[in-house]
Amino acid sequence: MQKFTPADTAPLLIFGGPYSNLAATQAIKEISQQLDIPTGNILCTGDIVAYCASPQETTDVIHEWGISVVQGNCEESLGNDASDCGCGFDTGSSCDLLSAGWFNFAKPRVSADAKAWMASLPAHISFDWAGLTMHAIHGGLNSINQFIFASDTAEQTQQQADSGGDVIISGHCGIPFGRILTNGTWLNAGVIGMPANDGQPDTWYMLITPEADGRITASWHALQYDVQDSISKMHQAGLNTPYADALNTGYWPSTDILPPAEQSATGQPLSLSPLPLSPGIV
Ligand SMILES: [Fe+2]
């Protein structure tokens, strides 16, 4: 079992969804170095491999970096030689057809060693940090491919209550958010490998920072990277899917999975305010 024991003298850097986007993955690693965040304080919420053109190279960067990684449905599927990405899309839906494109591209391009490593990744990483008990997961607490969005407040509350922790950190849904619940906080770090359907090419990551006065703050930040390089790699590889355009436009090719609130926010630039974190009941 992978242990995550970050130092509480430095921020946590948390991101999800590298999505085979090598340039974005290299960019977040450079950010960590610029911010002087130790490797032991960095966590990825899964889905290393997905839409873009560099599945093996992106996996190599993450694995060799030595950060902690929660298993995403993409790692679960590739690690277990499954026939699809495990997102659970309805058969024949546009999401289903789009995911088949990248999955069939990626599957033969990821080494057996990398797949074995993916299969070994933990579904949950629980840790105590700066007086807070945190649980990092990919989708939902009981389902790796559950999409939990900012508007799913009732579900979040129930799952948070079940966890007994102060903070849940999730990924999978592709849009970052933070919600203070009746009994804790739900954080989604966002994904670095694909924009957040907000009409902007930038992607997102999260920092959790111990402030000088003892407060702890979660904050979300836009990641700029060499978008054109990732688009070119997709075209060069023959991966001419709508996701190549999405990298540039910031609009998802399909919004089937989005609840009405997130549907209506399509194309609206994200602006997330920092969120104070507190232990226990807030
Ligand atoms: Fe996922």
Side-chain angles (χ1 to χ4, degrees):
M1 178 62 73
Q2 191 172 10
K3 288 285 185 189
F4 186 56
T5 53
D8 59 12
T9 51
L12 303 178
L13 168 59
I14 303 174
F15 63 92
Y19 292 163
S20 308
N21 188 333
L22 180 61
T25 304
Q26 290 168 329
I28 193 69
K29 187 173 181 184
E30 288 167 12
I31 290 286
S32 78
Q33 292 162 348
Q34 290 166 13
L35 297 176
D36 201 22
I37 296 178
T39 300
N41 278 43
I42 303 171
L43 180 74
C44 173
T45 60
D47 287 352
I48 299 165
V49 169
Y51 312 106
C52 299
S54 305
Q56 181 67 49
E57 297 89 340
T58 302
T59 303
D60 287 344
V61 170
I62 295 287
H63 192 183
E64 291 167 11
W65 192 359
I67 65 174
S68 290
V69 182
V70 173
Q71 185 183 57
N73 53 287
C74 299
E75 287 77 61
E76 183 183 55
S77 291
L78 287 167
N80 292 290
D81 203 30
S83 59
D84 63 39
C85 69
C87 281
F89 299 133
D90 293 336
T91 302
S93 67
S94 56
C95 283
D96 182 45
L97 298 173
L98 287 164
S99 66
W102 70 255
F103 189 81
N104 292 332
F105 173 87
K107 192 173 178 180
R109 290 172 172 81
V110 175
S111 71
D113 285 350
K115 288 174 179 171
W117 173 69
M118 290 176 182
S120 75
L121 293 171
H124 289 219
I125 294 180
S126 298
F127 60 100
D128 294 320
W129 180 83
L132 296 169
T133 299
M134 301 192 177
H135 296 277
I137 57 174
H138 182 65
L141 276 162
N142 301 312
S143 174
I144 193 171
N145 66 357
Q146 183 176 359
F147 291 105
I148 295 181
F149 291 96
S151 61
D152 292 336
T153 310
E155 276 186 283
Q156 292 172 346
T157 304
Q158 182 57 50
Q159 294 208 15
Q160 171 72 30
D162 290 346
S163 81
D166 300 313
V167 179
I168 292 180
I169 299 166
S170 71
H172 188 52
C173 79
I175 301 178
F177 65 88
R179 285 290 179 274
I180 295 176
L181 307 173
T182 54
N183 55 350
T185 306
W186 190 289
L187 303 175
N188 189 307
V191 294
I192 61 166
M194 188 61 58
N197 196 41
D198 63 345
Q200 309 294 315
D202 296 346
T203 60
W204 291 86
Y205 64 95
M206 183 173 73
L207 296 172
I208 302 179
T209 307
E211 310 288 354
D213 62 3
R215 290 179 303 119
I216 299 168
T217 304
S219 57
W220 292 263
H221 305 268
L223 177 67
Q224 282 111 33
Y225 69 98
D226 190 344
V227 174
Q228 293 307 319
D229 181 71
S230 293
I231 294 172
S232 296
K233 281 189 168 67
M234 291 181 74
H235 291 319
Q236 288 163 14
L239 196 57
N240 297 306
T241 71
Y243 290 111
D245 295 332
L247 290 176
N248 195 38
T249 65
Y251 286 84
W252 291 359
S254 171
T255 57
D256 288 356
I257 64 167
L258 294 180
E262 281 74 13
Q263 285 266 7
S264 65
T266 294
Q268 295 178 16
L270 278 180
S271 177
L272 293 164
S273 300
L275 194 68
L277 303 182
S278 306
I281 295 174
V282 295

